Amino acid sequence: MTEVDSPLDAASQQVRRAAAEKQLRPSIAGFFDEATNTVSYVVHDPKSCEAAIIDSVLDYEAASGRTSHGSADRIIEYVNTNNLKVTWLIETHAHADHISAAPYLQEKLGGKLAIGAEIIRVQDVFGKLFNAGTDFERDGSQFDHLFKDGETFALGSIEGIALHVPGHTPADMAFIIGDAAFVGDTIFMPDFGTARADFPGGDARELFHSIRRLLSLPDETRLFLCHDYKAPGRDEYAWETTVGQQRRENIHVKDGVSEEDFVKMRTERDKTLAMPNLIMPSVQVNIRGGRLPEPEDNGVSYIKIPVNAV
């Protein structure tokens, strides 16, 4: 970014307005899926009941290849019980550790399916890896909307703005809604640190700059994380923190940690990490907007597993 970061400035002003006026803050419900350590969110404007669902989970049993909807149905029950109107189904990025339930939720609840505009880069890389062929469009057309950096939106009277935060993947976005930021896989709880940056298109240096961009928001900004793995010594899952807490306490990227030290740490640490258990089915489906590959002539959809390719 240039020295004058207009989207960040707009997001900061939005957070300060919401922090000062209760009616500009969203109501937030988190739904934790322990099988994938993923947190999905329903975010809504209490006045209009307009809502967004962020980073939903489709249950997937790898051994059998069966999908089910228990996690998504919990969200549907919450939305219906609270008489919410879903206007957005948002993905912070193309997840590598769980399959999105967005198409199922869209069928049941409506709303526009959205992701960051740089998804086209991810589609290009993984379209080649999975040999998806010319029938697989690499233009983001599987989604209803592609958010650009600094783009604004709203849930009723509550303001929202999208920020591009690459590094974990090229397409990662953070969505600031009122005084709350949904930051995907950029950063974790302070005692656990930060996301990996070794997937295709990932970059530790970019991740550092993206995190510092997020941590330039006001200290009171509430941060809602996409995952938690319980750091050593902590017995409870947690997924809400603040910019101020992260700047003071994050073990990987708190104030005072240099870019070079972070890149060295992140690069060395990533070399020790195994691939996520569900990376092959997850990415293959999520680059299609959460839809399974087209059925073959026997009516069955298949997940490809590239052998000795990654």
Side-chain angles (χ1 to χ4, degrees):
M1 301 299 296
T2 60
E3 288 186 15
V4 178
D5 189 337
S6 297
L8 181 65
D9 184 58
S12 297
Q13 292 177 24
Q14 173 190 297
V15 167
R16 292 189 183 98
R17 284 193 297 270
E21 299 184 47
K22 185 177 180 180
Q23 66 269 26
L24 300 180
R25 301 176 213 158
S27 293
I28 301 165
F31 298 81
F32 186 71
D33 176 60
E34 191 164 356
T36 61
N37 295 93
T38 301
V39 193
S40 306
Y41 296 98
V42 178
V43 188
H44 79 272
D45 169 21
K47 185 175 180 180
S48 68
C49 291
E50 285 194 22
I53 298 172
I54 300 176
D55 291 337
S56 61
V57 174
L58 179 73
D59 300 319
Y60 178 75
E61 212 288 307
S64 66
R66 289 189 175 276
T67 62
S68 57
H69 302 105
S71 296
D73 286 341
R74 289 169 58 207
I75 290 176
I76 292 172
E77 181 181 10
Y78 177 85
V79 167
N80 290 336
T81 298
N82 290 278
N83 298 310
L84 304 182
K85 178 185 177 183
V86 175
T87 55
W88 290 103
L89 298 147
I90 292 173
E91 302 292 331
T92 55
H93 62 295
H95 307 277
D97 41 28
H98 73 271
I99 296 174
S100 170
Y104 174 76
L105 291 168
Q106 187 175 45
E107 179 185 342
K108 301 292 185 181
L109 300 172
K112 290 184 178 181
L113 174 56
I115 201 168
E118 293 300 312
I119 186 62
I120 60 174
R121 292 178 56 190
V122 180
Q123 288 177 326
D124 185 56
V125 170
F126 284 100
K128 293 173 183 174
L129 176 64
F130 293 117
N131 197 29
T134 56
D135 289 340
F136 172 59
E137 299 291 343
R138 295 159 169 82
D139 58 2
S141 58
Q142 299 84 353
F143 301 85
D144 300 315
H145 186 79
L146 301 181
F147 275 105
K148 297 179 180 179
D149 184 50
E151 186 174 348
T152 59
F153 61 103
L155 294 179
S157 60
I158 296 179
E159 300 171 303
I161 188 167
L163 296 180
H164 185 212
V165 286
H168 175 63
T169 80
D172 278 62
M173 301 291 289
F175 294 88
I176 294 80
I177 302 174
D179 67 333
F182 299 86
V183 299
D185 285 18
T186 53
I187 199 167
F188 299 138
M189 290 299 290
D191 57 0
F192 200 87
T194 57
R196 66 195 299 164
D198 61 332
F199 294 150
D203 185 278
R205 201 169 295 277
E206 274 195 325
L207 181 61
F208 179 84
H209 287 288
S210 291
I211 291 172
R212 295 313 306 181
R213 189 184 194 201
L214 289 171
L215 297 187
S216 296
L217 291 166
D219 280 0
E220 62 268 30
T221 309
R222 295 184 289 162
L223 300 183
F224 291 87
L225 318 179
C226 190
H227 296 287
D228 187 55
Y229 304 95
K230 290 197 296 190
R234 174 159 54 87
D235 295 327
E236 301 293 330
Y237 290 110
W239 48 81
E240 180 180 352
T241 177
T242 65
V243 164
Q245 184 184 18
Q246 294 281 10
R247 293 185 63 167
R248 292 189 303 271
E249 301 175 15
N250 189 283
I251 60 172
H252 291 168
V253 73
K254 64 186 175 183
D255 286 357
V257 174
S258 72
E259 178 178 340
E260 295 306 321
D261 286 345
F262 175 82
V263 170
K264 182 176 184 294
M265 176 282 301
R266 189 70 266 170
T267 302
E268 291 176 354
R269 180 175 171 82
D270 287 350
K271 290 177 181 178
T272 72
L273 300 178
M275 286 290 104
N277 291 334
L278 297 183
I279 185 170
M280 293 303 174
S282 295
V283 174
Q284 204 164 156
V285 173
N286 292 337
I287 59 174
R288 293 177 164 87
R291 299 172 185 88
L292 296 173
E294 286 296 315
E296 299 192 7
D297 55 12
N298 62 354
V300 177
S301 293
Y302 289 87
I303 298 292
K304 292 181 177 179
I305 305 295
V307 178
N308 297 327
V310 293

